[in-house]
Amino acid sequence: MGRIKKKGTSGAAKNYITRTRAVKKLQISLPDFRRLCIFKGIYPREPRNKKKVSKGSTAATTYYYTKDIQYLLHEPLLNKFREHKSVAKKIGRALGRGEVGDAKRLEKTHMPKVKLDHIIKERYPTFIDALRDLDDALSMLFLFANLPSHEHIPAKTIALCQRLTLEFEHYVITSHSLKKSFLSIKGIYYQATIQGQDILWLVPYRFVQRTAGDIDFRIMGTFIEFYTTLLGFINYRLYTSIGLVYPPKFNAKSDGDGGELSALQLEGKGIDNGDSAANGEASKAITSAEAQAEADKIAALAASGEDEEDETTVAQTEGEEENTEAIDTFETTAEDADVLPQPTASNEELASLFAPFTFYLSRETPRAPLEFLLKAFGCRRVGWDGTHGDGAFTTNESDPAITHQIVDRPALPADALPPVPAAAEPTNGDGPQPKAQWPRTTMPGRTYVQPQWVWDCLNQGKLLRPDLYAPGAELPPHLSPWVKPKKGEYDPNRPLEEQELEGEAEAFEEEDLDDAEDAEPRLITNGEMDAIVDRDSDVEAGEGMDVASDSDEEDEEDEEDEDDEFEGFNSDAESEISDGEAERRQHQRELEAEATGTTLESSVPSSKAKSAEIRKKAEKKRKLEDEERERLKMMLPRRKRKLLKRIEYGENKRDTEAENLRRKKRKLEKVKAAANAL
Amino acid sequence: MAPNPRKRKVVTRATPDESVEDEELGDGLLEGILSHSEDESDDEAAASAGSSAEEDPSDDEADEESGDEPDLESDEVPSDGEEDIRRQLRNLSTAEGPLKRKTSHLTHEQEEAEAGDAEHEAEASEDDDLKPNYTVTTDAHGNTRYLYHEIDPVYESDDSDAPATANTIGNISLSYYDNYPHIGYDINGKKIMRPAKGEALDALLDSIDLPKGWTGLTDPATGKPLELTEEELDVLRKITRNEIPEEGYNPYPEMVPYFTGKLEVMPLSAAPEPKRRFVPSKHEAKRVMKIVRAIREGRIQPYKPPTVEEEEEATDFKTYDIWADEVPRPEHNMHIAAPKMPPPGYDQSYHPPPEYLPDKQEKETWRETEEEEREKEYLPTSYDALRKVPGYERFVKERFERCLDLYLAPRVRRNKLNIDPESLLPKLPSPDELRPFPTTCAAIFRGHEGRVRSVSVDPRGIFLASGGDDGFVRVWELLTGRQLWNVKLADEDAVDTVKWRPGKDAAILAAAAGEDIFLIVPFAILSPDVEQTSRDLIDAGWGYAAAKPSTTTNGATKEPPARWSRPGKRLEDKGVLVQATVRSTVKVINWHRRGEYFATVSPRGQSSAVAIHTLSKHLTQLPFRRLKGIAQSAQFHPSKPIFFVATKNSIRSYDLARQELVKILQPGAKWISSFDVHPGGDNLIVGTYDKRLLWHDLDLSTKPYKTLRYHQEAIRAVRFHQGGLPLFADASDDGSIQIFHGKVVGDLMENATIVPLKVLRGHQVKSRLGVMDVDWHPREPWCVSAGADGTCRLWN
């Protein structure tokens, strides 16, 4: 007979370890443990059976794998932490004695430097693994690149974040790996595909971030420490993989002038120095405004000339290369052969989407994202207002080379604008060309668009009609490029009629009619209020009506629901009866008409009646389907029925969401139609 | 008391042991003399409290005064008071003594005595220190005798008693005695008279020049105004200042360096100075050389502060490819990568399609819900231009929460339910495939009085036989509902069951009324040849029982389980040809598929509950000597020699050929009412009085494969369609018949599909009985039901 096994010596009880015990085992403090976990990527586990693990106690605890903690025991960082602790003690002692110099020396020479290189290698054995985990890293670094320094995040780290993100952006630009971008209310999402990995990151809008509340910057700082190391190695690898020198040259002066992307100058085999030359010229110190204008013009002309030449050469080389690099399309010769799918060569097109244009960014547009996007999609000549900072292709708005100007101001009538200062006029007039300045004057042949145009173009992979995005125009909705239309979900790209269920449109119609009837007299009274509130779009007008009719509408809906419930099984019978009744009446009318000898004017049933008919039919059909489904469900065993219930819960939620959206859409369409009719 | 100490005082006048006699020194005169004679103590007293010396003359006066007041001056009282005060005073004046003393006890009057006493005291204590505490005398024999002084039990002494109280009124405020001339009682119970309070003039004088020790307090013990001496006040002052009350005490005396301060002139040892004091240390040289060597070899580098650039280089830029020699490592089994953040949807757009914007109510609900409980952490908003988009104020917070999730949230792999719900639903045949099944009532057979207990459709599908409470067996034309034939079998007993013999060649109806079983060939409704074959079949058995009487082992003729006879002229004319009488009431008749045998069940008969009758021999056998439970029904297997018997809550199947029990089915029912075997023979349906219909798959288990509960009342009869249609029906007391589709597939792997099809309602419930029996047409999807309302119905 074997020994009696003691409880809690094997199995789950041994496999898991609580956090307190882990900290004790590692003999470090809790903050150090936290740091270690963040660096090593160790996270708590949820035991399958908590009771077995906790030996009966049910208190909420965090559990780690014992193996994970054992693995931490061998971490060289642990020693660093201990050294750090002892040095910190010494420093504290020195400070306590008032020996500041000693403390300084200790800190400078004895403080151990934590290097995370080995951890990077350990956590990401291959480069692809690292890329896979880059989403959070980029989002964090981009955020901190825009944050002020903090007690726990020194200015040096912030500068490093800025530098690393800029480097990464440069890589994305040169490798044309940016695929999509999206303007959300949270910030700007970008998606790049690097070595087959989709990397999605979010960059906040450039405002002061709210950092109040429960935010522990020590934790964020630890993450930042890890992510900066990671992105450093990734950048090195990315740069060297496309033949660039890493680190790129950093122009401190340009950076000081707000050069951002242009503060870094890439060097390598694939980079011609045309850009950097232009940048260098632009960044030259210029004494007077006039001289600056002149110089700008010259620079712009020269640059444009160069670029045009470049373009042609590029085109030529492309033409030559076409034979070698592009994928040939394979045509099957016989009919019975299988057709293998081939990738479309749209990547090249997408990469050079904005290549032939010269952009000018107005003062009010966000320069950094636009510059990044335009450059990432092939545009090499992006100029902007001088207030935006250093590194513009041109700062002269009236440069004739500019083909597109991105403007985010409504076009106001000329008399509404303040007069141009008289002093400025003659100086500008001296130049060979009048200074074109939106919105006072527009340059002939130049396209003025709103920033959204850029995003929509690149997301759809083609140049869209710029007139839809003209300054002051009502923009088309900006849609997320990542949403894939799924069955049963509402898709704003498709017309409403395709998506509506049978009879739904009529149901909505009916509701709306009822609403309209209810709301009409009230709308007039509401008119006064609307007049006060400036309504510049139809949508808002529609909303105005909503305000009036909301409660009624709900009541109506409720009533209808109640009706539905009340009708129960008899509803179809009733509808049949009513249908029959209608028919009979029609027939009666026909008979009467015959008797009097008049031709029956085609008494088209009112749209309402018609829609009601359709709706009823659809409802009936749906009810039948439901009944059939219920019948099937009755035959399921209980376990499966529960599973089905769970699945259906999700589906129903999705369906109601979609229906809600469709209902709103229908209403909006109606309002729009009414507005158009007026 | 007084004379004794006085005497001793005389004796020991020379010895300065004054302390003993202190209490006796009540005399002011003596006191005065003493105090003046003792210079040392006087000096001390004068230094500490100058007032005491001044008060000396007044002492005399006070003594004179006290003489005037005989009550107060009564010998003990003042002496007691004096003792008390002296004790206190000693504590006060000696530095060593404990300083806890109640100054409040000091009163005006005692003060006078006290001054003198203090001097005695001081003197006594000094004397104590200097002189031995004994005197040497010679005793009667001429030897030296040591006369030890009497020990004065002063406060410091070990046997100090509680201080004798002058006033014995205890802890009571003196104000209670305000109206009396006295202020309390002394130890002897005599009144302590109120001391003469200063007159108005005195009071005025007091107020004009306050005496030095005036406190304004009243001594509660004596009722006199409390005054403190200068000395006492000084002590108090020092105590309040946390100083040591003793005069001239130095808490930090100068340290006298006894040993180090002295300079030794002569050396302690005469040893010569050792050599090592003049030779450089070898050990040190060794250590230095070690360091020198290390420096030479470059093991020790002089510290060089790193330049700023170096530092930056070291931290900021990666100068090597960490993945230069990457080797893919298979992901650990238990590792779960952090899930990526989901990409934004349409409603996160800065300018979403207007239908994604929340309406007023949705906004309201979003705002009202707690931050943690919100479905979305943002409210979709539309801005008509990019320049109007504000910063997202939760940005840092969200990033921080993500960070927390990354390192704090336990990761669990959850299987996402990616099942098409349609696939879960059973593959049911479409309703069209299920057809045909009975849906409507096609004919009603009226004629019975009282309940119809049993119905049976004949194998050719032309006739319907029914038996009811009125004792009639009636035969109807199935399609039209016309009554063709009837016979009254019994007057008082109901016809419990009727059953046609299977087989189309003959038409024999078995019916049971009470204990009698009748075999009937309905007269004049059958075609002559069928009638003839039927009669022949029945008649073949006559005389068989007589020829071979059953005998028991001992040879005695045993009473046969049933008596087969002719029922009599009246019935025979109608076509009732045979009457077999068994021992108890027959409730169920079931034929074997070949029509040769039929089984009857009479639940009341214990050993004869189940009987198998042979038609061709007119023979009745009782297969079970004893049956467990009450038999409910019995059936033959449709193809094998197996016999099923249902008792109250189980069904047993017996192999008739081998005569053994094959299987016991446990439907789990409380009371089985009826059952039927599927024509395939592997499935069984069981109806129970506890409202359940159970489907048993004999191959699967002894437990039911499906339990159906669709009836509100007990189920009376269940029946499979025998003609190849996958239908079965059950009849219930709630007046409904339910039709099911029950398809059995030959494949063993596939279970039977059961689909509820139709509820047939029409029968009325009478005295809580609804439908009594149900039977199927042999070929068509028609079924016939017998109702408690006296009708039969045909459903198609």
Side-chain angles (χ1 to χ4, degrees), chain A residues 45 163 186 408 478 490 632 635, chain B residues 317 334 349 355 377 387 428 754:
Chain A
R45 310 283 179 145
R163 180 92 195 263
K186 293 185 178 178
D408 200 1
H478 182 56
Y490 174 70
L632 292 183
M635 297 307 296
Chain B
F317 301 106
M334 306 308 275
S349 168
E355 57 267 29
E377 70 277 14
R387 69 172 186 282
L428 285 183
I754 305 169

mmCIF file with all atom_site columns, all heavy atoms in Angstrom, chain A residues 45 163 186 408 478 490 632 635, chain B residues 317 334 349 355 377 387 428 754:
data_model
loop_
_atom_site.group_PDB
_atom_site.id
_atom_site.type_symbol
_atom_site.label_atom_id
_atom_site.label_alt_id
_atom_site.label_comp_id
_atom_site.label_asym_id
_atom_site.label_entity_id
_atom_site.label_seq_id
_atom_site.pdbx_PDB_ins_code
_atom_site.Cartn_x
_atom_site.Cartn_y
_atom_site.Cartn_z
_atom_site.occupancy
_atom_site.B_iso_or_equiv
_atom_site.pdbx_formal_charge
_atom_site.auth_seq_id
_atom_site.auth_comp_id
_atom_site.auth_asym_id
_atom_site.auth_atom_id
_atom_site.pdbx_PDB_model_num
ATOM 1   N N   . ARG A 1 45  ? -3.020  33.957 -13.768 1.00 0.00 ? 45  ARG A N   1
ATOM 2   C CA  . ARG A 1 45  ? -3.831  32.922 -14.413 1.00 0.00 ? 45  ARG A CA  1
ATOM 3   C C   . ARG A 1 45  ? -5.072  32.691 -13.576 1.00 0.00 ? 45  ARG A C   1
ATOM 4   O O   . ARG A 1 45  ? -5.040  32.856 -12.355 1.00 0.00 ? 45  ARG A O   1
ATOM 5   C CB  . ARG A 1 45  ? -3.075  31.602 -14.511 1.00 0.00 ? 45  ARG A CB  1
ATOM 6   C CG  . ARG A 1 45  ? -1.712  31.725 -15.074 1.00 0.00 ? 45  ARG A CG  1
ATOM 7   C CD  . ARG A 1 45  ? -1.772  31.894 -16.560 1.00 0.00 ? 45  ARG A CD  1
ATOM 8   N NE  . ARG A 1 45  ? -0.439  32.032 -17.101 1.00 0.00 ? 45  ARG A NE  1
ATOM 9   C CZ  . ARG A 1 45  ? -0.085  31.547 -18.281 1.00 0.00 ? 45  ARG A CZ  1
ATOM 10  N NH1 . ARG A 1 45  ? -0.937  30.911 -19.030 1.00 0.00 ? 45  ARG A NH1 1
ATOM 11  N NH2 . ARG A 1 45  ? 1.136   31.740 -18.726 1.00 0.00 ? 45  ARG A NH2 1
ATOM 12  N N   . ARG A 1 163 ? 11.467  60.424 -30.812 1.00 0.00 ? 163 ARG A N   1
ATOM 13  C CA  . ARG A 1 163 ? 12.485  60.025 -31.773 1.00 0.00 ? 163 ARG A CA  1
ATOM 14  C C   . ARG A 1 163 ? 12.140  58.679 -32.394 1.00 0.00 ? 163 ARG A C   1
ATOM 15  O O   . ARG A 1 163 ? 12.125  58.508 -33.611 1.00 0.00 ? 163 ARG A O   1
ATOM 16  C CB  . ARG A 1 163 ? 13.803  59.945 -31.003 1.00 0.00 ? 163 ARG A CB  1
ATOM 17  C CG  . ARG A 1 163 ? 14.978  59.548 -31.765 1.00 0.00 ? 163 ARG A CG  1
ATOM 18  C CD  . ARG A 1 163 ? 15.686  60.775 -32.310 1.00 0.00 ? 163 ARG A CD  1
ATOM 19  N NE  . ARG A 1 163 ? 16.607  60.356 -33.330 1.00 0.00 ? 163 ARG A NE  1
ATOM 20  C CZ  . ARG A 1 163 ? 17.901  60.152 -33.110 1.00 0.00 ? 163 ARG A CZ  1
ATOM 21  N NH1 . ARG A 1 163 ? 18.407  60.416 -31.933 1.00 0.00 ? 163 ARG A NH1 1
ATOM 22  N NH2 . ARG A 1 163 ? 18.687  59.732 -34.088 1.00 0.00 ? 163 ARG A NH2 1
ATOM 23  N N   . LYS A 1 186 ? -11.513 59.248 -30.864 1.00 0.00 ? 186 LYS A N   1
ATOM 24  C CA  . LYS A 1 186 ? -10.454 59.063 -29.883 1.00 0.00 ? 186 LYS A CA  1
ATOM 25  C C   . LYS A 1 186 ? -9.111  59.579 -30.381 1.00 0.00 ? 186 LYS A C   1
ATOM 26  O O   . LYS A 1 186 ? -8.285  60.008 -29.593 1.00 0.00 ? 186 LYS A O   1
ATOM 27  C CB  . LYS A 1 186 ? -10.295 57.579 -29.574 1.00 0.00 ? 186 LYS A CB  1
ATOM 28  C CG  . LYS A 1 186 ? -11.473 56.991 -28.878 1.00 0.00 ? 186 LYS A CG  1
ATOM 29  C CD  . LYS A 1 186 ? -11.191 55.578 -28.504 1.00 0.00 ? 186 LYS A CD  1
ATOM 30  C CE  . LYS A 1 186 ? -12.354 54.992 -27.755 1.00 0.00 ? 186 LYS A CE  1
ATOM 31  N NZ  . LYS A 1 186 ? -12.146 53.600 -27.416 1.00 0.00 ? 186 LYS A NZ  1
ATOM 32  N N   . ASP A 1 408 ? -9.466  73.576 -44.009 1.00 0.00 ? 408 ASP A N   1
ATOM 33  C CA  . ASP A 1 408 ? -10.494 73.161 -43.069 1.00 0.00 ? 408 ASP A CA  1
ATOM 34  C C   . ASP A 1 408 ? -11.264 74.362 -42.543 1.00 0.00 ? 408 ASP A C   1
ATOM 35  O O   . ASP A 1 408 ? -11.612 74.434 -41.379 1.00 0.00 ? 408 ASP A O   1
ATOM 36  C CB  . ASP A 1 408 ? -9.851  72.378 -41.910 1.00 0.00 ? 408 ASP A CB  1
ATOM 37  C CG  . ASP A 1 408 ? -10.860 71.519 -41.183 1.00 0.00 ? 408 ASP A CG  1
ATOM 38  O OD1 . ASP A 1 408 ? -12.038 71.540 -41.600 1.00 0.00 ? 408 ASP A OD1 1
ATOM 39  O OD2 . ASP A 1 408 ? -10.488 70.846 -40.217 1.00 0.00 ? 408 ASP A OD2 1
ATOM 40  N N   . HIS A 1 478 ? -17.646 59.551 -42.638 1.00 0.00 ? 478 HIS A N   1
ATOM 41  C CA  . HIS A 1 478 ? -16.317 58.934 -42.642 1.00 0.00 ? 478 HIS A CA  1
ATOM 42  C C   . HIS A 1 478 ? -16.452 57.556 -42.012 1.00 0.00 ? 478 HIS A C   1
ATOM 43  O O   . HIS A 1 478 ? -16.879 57.427 -40.865 1.00 0.00 ? 478 HIS A O   1
ATOM 44  C CB  . HIS A 1 478 ? -15.366 59.806 -41.816 1.00 0.00 ? 478 HIS A CB  1
ATOM 45  C CG  . HIS A 1 478 ? -13.963 59.302 -41.791 1.00 0.00 ? 478 HIS A CG  1
ATOM 46  N ND1 . HIS A 1 478 ? -13.245 59.075 -42.934 1.00 0.00 ? 478 HIS A ND1 1
ATOM 47  C CD2 . HIS A 1 478 ? -13.146 58.995 -40.766 1.00 0.00 ? 478 HIS A CD2 1
ATOM 48  C CE1 . HIS A 1 478 ? -12.039 58.647 -42.601 1.00 0.00 ? 478 HIS A CE1 1
ATOM 49  N NE2 . HIS A 1 478 ? -11.955 58.575 -41.283 1.00 0.00 ? 478 HIS A NE2 1
ATOM 50  N N   . TYR A 1 490 ? -25.978 45.827 -39.901 1.00 0.00 ? 490 TYR A N   1
ATOM 51  C CA  . TYR A 1 490 ? -26.302 46.969 -40.759 1.00 0.00 ? 490 TYR A CA  1
ATOM 52  C C   . TYR A 1 490 ? -25.043 47.461 -41.452 1.00 0.00 ? 490 TYR A C   1
ATOM 53  O O   . TYR A 1 490 ? -23.988 47.575 -40.841 1.00 0.00 ? 490 TYR A O   1
ATOM 54  C CB  . TYR A 1 490 ? -26.900 48.075 -39.899 1.00 0.00 ? 490 TYR A CB  1
ATOM 55  C CG  . TYR A 1 490 ? -27.146 49.347 -40.652 1.00 0.00 ? 490 TYR A CG  1
ATOM 56  C CD1 . TYR A 1 490 ? -28.154 49.413 -41.601 1.00 0.00 ? 490 TYR A CD1 1
ATOM 57  C CD2 . TYR A 1 490 ? -26.365 50.470 -40.433 1.00 0.00 ? 490 TYR A CD2 1
ATOM 58  C CE1 . TYR A 1 490 ? -28.382 50.570 -42.305 1.00 0.00 ? 490 TYR A CE1 1
ATOM 59  C CE2 . TYR A 1 490 ? -26.582 51.635 -41.125 1.00 0.00 ? 490 TYR A CE2 1
ATOM 60  C CZ  . TYR A 1 490 ? -27.599 51.679 -42.068 1.00 0.00 ? 490 TYR A CZ  1
ATOM 61  O OH  . TYR A 1 490 ? -27.812 52.834 -42.764 1.00 0.00 ? 490 TYR A OH  1
ATOM 62  N N   . LEU A 1 632 ? -39.131 23.092 -33.720 1.00 0.00 ? 632 LEU A N   1
ATOM 63  C CA  . LEU A 1 632 ? -37.852 22.376 -33.783 1.00 0.00 ? 632 LEU A CA  1
ATOM 64  C C   . LEU A 1 632 ? -37.158 22.408 -32.445 1.00 0.00 ? 632 LEU A C   1
ATOM 65  O O   . LEU A 1 632 ? -36.580 21.432 -31.995 1.00 0.00 ? 632 LEU A O   1
ATOM 66  C CB  . LEU A 1 632 ? -36.945 23.017 -34.842 1.00 0.00 ? 632 LEU A CB  1
ATOM 67  C CG  . LEU A 1 632 ? -37.387 22.869 -36.290 1.00 0.00 ? 632 LEU A CG  1
ATOM 68  C CD1 . LEU A 1 632 ? -36.347 23.495 -37.192 1.00 0.00 ? 632 LEU A CD1 1
ATOM 69  C CD2 . LEU A 1 632 ? -37.560 21.405 -36.645 1.00 0.00 ? 632 LEU A CD2 1
ATOM 70  N N   . MET A 1 635 ? -37.848 19.927 -29.742 1.00 0.00 ? 635 MET A N   1
ATOM 71  C CA  . MET A 1 635 ? -37.317 18.579 -29.831 1.00 0.00 ? 635 MET A CA  1
ATOM 72  C C   . MET A 1 635 ? -35.872 18.476 -29.346 1.00 0.00 ? 635 MET A C   1
ATOM 73  O O   . MET A 1 635 ? -35.319 17.402 -29.289 1.00 0.00 ? 635 MET A O   1
ATOM 74  C CB  . MET A 1 635 ? -37.378 18.085 -31.283 1.00 0.00 ? 635 MET A CB  1
ATOM 75  C CG  . MET A 1 635 ? -38.756 17.965 -31.832 1.00 0.00 ? 635 MET A CG  1
ATOM 76  S SD  . MET A 1 635 ? -39.781 16.965 -30.752 1.00 0.00 ? 635 MET A SD  1
ATOM 77  C CE  . MET A 1 635 ? -38.945 15.408 -30.879 1.00 0.00 ? 635 MET A CE  1
ATOM 78  N N   . PHE B 2 317 ? 20.211  54.195 -28.563 1.00 0.00 ? 317 PHE B N   1
ATOM 79  C CA  . PHE B 2 317 ? 20.171  53.572 -29.881 1.00 0.00 ? 317 PHE B CA  1
ATOM 80  C C   . PHE B 2 317 ? 20.646  52.156 -29.835 1.00 0.00 ? 317 PHE B C   1
ATOM 81  O O   . PHE B 2 317 ? 21.622  51.820 -29.174 1.00 0.00 ? 317 PHE B O   1
ATOM 82  C CB  . PHE B 2 317 ? 20.991  54.381 -30.873 1.00 0.00 ? 317 PHE B CB  1
ATOM 83  C CG  . PHE B 2 317 ? 20.472  55.758 -30.971 1.00 0.00 ? 317 PHE B CG  1
ATOM 84  C CD1 . PHE B 2 317 ? 21.132  56.819 -30.411 1.00 0.00 ? 317 PHE B CD1 1
ATOM 85  C CD2 . PHE B 2 317 ? 19.253  55.983 -31.572 1.00 0.00 ? 317 PHE B CD2 1
ATOM 86  C CE1 . PHE B 2 317 ? 20.610  58.078 -30.456 1.00 0.00 ? 317 PHE B CE1 1
ATOM 87  C CE2 . PHE B 2 317 ? 18.710  57.245 -31.624 1.00 0.00 ? 317 PHE B CE2 1
ATOM 88  C CZ  . PHE B 2 317 ? 19.398  58.302 -31.071 1.00 0.00 ? 317 PHE B CZ  1
ATOM 89  N N   . MET B 2 334 ? 0.768   26.716 -22.673 1.00 0.00 ? 334 MET B N   1
ATOM 90  C CA  . MET B 2 334 ? -0.102  27.458 -21.777 1.00 0.00 ? 334 MET B CA  1
ATOM 91  C C   . MET B 2 334 ? -0.010  28.957 -22.013 1.00 0.00 ? 334 MET B C   1
ATOM 92  O O   . MET B 2 334 ? -0.683  29.708 -21.332 1.00 0.00 ? 334 MET B O   1
ATOM 93  C CB  . MET B 2 334 ? 0.268   27.159 -20.314 1.00 0.00 ? 334 MET B CB  1
ATOM 94  C CG  . MET B 2 334 ? 0.289   25.707 -19.968 1.00 0.00 ? 334 MET B CG  1
ATOM 95  S SD  . MET B 2 334 ? -1.215  24.905 -20.437 1.00 0.00 ? 334 MET B SD  1
ATOM 96  C CE  . MET B 2 334 ? -2.199  25.256 -18.995 1.00 0.00 ? 334 MET B CE  1
ATOM 97  N N   . SER B 2 349 ? -16.274 56.906 -35.579 1.00 0.00 ? 349 SER B N   1
ATOM 98  C CA  . SER B 2 349 ? -15.791 57.897 -36.534 1.00 0.00 ? 349 SER B CA  1
ATOM 99  C C   . SER B 2 349 ? -16.068 59.308 -36.026 1.00 0.00 ? 349 SER B C   1
ATOM 100 O O   . SER B 2 349 ? -17.002 59.536 -35.264 1.00 0.00 ? 349 SER B O   1
ATOM 101 C CB  . SER B 2 349 ? -16.500 57.671 -37.862 1.00 0.00 ? 349 SER B CB  1
ATOM 102 O OG  . SER B 2 349 ? -16.265 58.748 -38.713 1.00 0.00 ? 349 SER B OG  1
ATOM 103 N N   . GLU B 2 355 ? -27.131 57.788 -38.808 1.00 0.00 ? 355 GLU B N   1
ATOM 104 C CA  . GLU B 2 355 ? -27.938 56.801 -38.080 1.00 0.00 ? 355 GLU B CA  1
ATOM 105 C C   . GLU B 2 355 ? -27.187 56.209 -36.890 1.00 0.00 ? 355 GLU B C   1
ATOM 106 O O   . GLU B 2 355 ? -27.784 55.578 -36.032 1.00 0.00 ? 355 GLU B O   1
ATOM 107 C CB  . GLU B 2 355 ? -28.433 55.693 -39.024 1.00 0.00 ? 355 GLU B CB  1
ATOM 108 C CG  . GLU B 2 355 ? -27.359 54.941 -39.779 1.00 0.00 ? 355 GLU B CG  1
ATOM 109 C CD  . GLU B 2 355 ? -27.115 55.559 -41.141 1.00 0.00 ? 355 GLU B CD  1
ATOM 110 O OE1 . GLU B 2 355 ? -27.316 56.776 -41.270 1.00 0.00 ? 355 GLU B OE1 1
ATOM 111 O OE2 . GLU B 2 355 ? -26.723 54.836 -42.066 1.00 0.00 ? 355 GLU B OE2 1
ATOM 112 N N   . GLU B 2 377 ? -17.538 53.014 -24.070 1.00 0.00 ? 377 GLU B N   1
ATOM 113 C CA  . GLU B 2 377 ? -16.962 54.011 -23.183 1.00 0.00 ? 377 GLU B CA  1
ATOM 114 C C   . GLU B 2 377 ? -17.046 55.407 -23.794 1.00 0.00 ? 377 GLU B C   1
ATOM 115 O O   . GLU B 2 377 ? -16.652 56.375 -23.171 1.00 0.00 ? 377 GLU B O   1
ATOM 116 C CB  . GLU B 2 377 ? -15.525 53.644 -22.835 1.00 0.00 ? 377 GLU B CB  1
ATOM 117 C CG  . GLU B 2 377 ? -14.513 53.755 -23.951 1.00 0.00 ? 377 GLU B CG  1
ATOM 118 C CD  . GLU B 2 377 ? -14.472 52.560 -24.866 1.00 0.00 ? 377 GLU B CD  1
ATOM 119 O OE1 . GLU B 2 377 ? -15.417 51.745 -24.797 1.00 0.00 ? 377 GLU B OE1 1
ATOM 120 O OE2 . GLU B 2 377 ? -13.530 52.446 -25.666 1.00 0.00 ? 377 GLU B OE2 1
ATOM 121 N N   . ARG B 2 387 ? -11.487 70.164 -37.887 1.00 0.00 ? 387 ARG B N   1
ATOM 122 C CA  . ARG B 2 387 ? -10.950 71.146 -36.943 1.00 0.00 ? 387 ARG B CA  1
ATOM 123 C C   . ARG B 2 387 ? -11.790 71.237 -35.685 1.00 0.00 ? 387 ARG B C   1
ATOM 124 O O   . ARG B 2 387 ? -11.335 71.725 -34.666 1.00 0.00 ? 387 ARG B O   1
ATOM 125 C CB  . ARG B 2 387 ? -10.870 72.528 -37.614 1.00 0.00 ? 387 ARG B CB  1
ATOM 126 C CG  . ARG B 2 387 ? -12.219 73.137 -37.898 1.00 0.00 ? 387 ARG B CG  1
ATOM 127 C CD  . ARG B 2 387 ? -12.113 74.564 -38.367 1.00 0.00 ? 387 ARG B CD  1
ATOM 128 N NE  . ARG B 2 387 ? -13.425 75.164 -38.502 1.00 0.00 ? 387 ARG B NE  1
ATOM 129 C CZ  . ARG B 2 387 ? -14.241 74.961 -39.505 1.00 0.00 ? 387 ARG B CZ  1
ATOM 130 N NH1 . ARG B 2 387 ? -13.880 74.181 -40.515 1.00 0.00 ? 387 ARG B NH1 1
ATOM 131 N NH2 . ARG B 2 387 ? -15.438 75.534 -39.545 1.00 0.00 ? 387 ARG B NH2 1
ATOM 132 N N   . LEU B 2 428 ? -35.064 17.881 -38.963 1.00 0.00 ? 428 LEU B N   1
ATOM 133 C CA  . LEU B 2 428 ? -36.416 17.344 -38.935 1.00 0.00 ? 428 LEU B CA  1
ATOM 134 C C   . LEU B 2 428 ? -36.941 17.264 -40.354 1.00 0.00 ? 428 LEU B C   1
ATOM 135 O O   . LEU B 2 428 ? -36.620 18.122 -41.183 1.00 0.00 ? 428 LEU B O   1
ATOM 136 C CB  . LEU B 2 428 ? -37.312 18.246 -38.113 1.00 0.00 ? 428 LEU B CB  1
ATOM 137 C CG  . LEU B 2 428 ? -37.125 18.170 -36.610 1.00 0.00 ? 428 LEU B CG  1
ATOM 138 C CD1 . LEU B 2 428 ? -38.119 19.059 -35.927 1.00 0.00 ? 428 LEU B CD1 1
ATOM 139 C CD2 . LEU B 2 428 ? -37.280 16.744 -36.137 1.00 0.00 ? 428 LEU B CD2 1
ATOM 140 N N   . ILE B 2 754 ? -38.656 11.522 -33.490 1.00 0.00 ? 754 ILE B N   1
ATOM 141 C CA  . ILE B 2 754 ? -40.041 11.633 -33.036 1.00 0.00 ? 754 ILE B CA  1
ATOM 142 C C   . ILE B 2 754 ? -40.450 13.087 -33.209 1.00 0.00 ? 754 ILE B C   1
ATOM 143 O O   . ILE B 2 754 ? -39.753 13.986 -32.749 1.00 0.00 ? 754 ILE B O   1
ATOM 144 C CB  . ILE B 2 754 ? -40.170 11.229 -31.558 1.00 0.00 ? 754 ILE B CB  1
ATOM 145 C CG1 . ILE B 2 754 ? -39.595 9.838  -31.355 1.00 0.00 ? 754 ILE B CG1 1
ATOM 146 C CG2 . ILE B 2 754 ? -41.621 11.268 -31.133 1.00 0.00 ? 754 ILE B CG2 1
ATOM 147 C CD1 . ILE B 2 754 ? -39.427 9.466  -29.917 1.00 0.00 ? 754 ILE B CD1 1
#
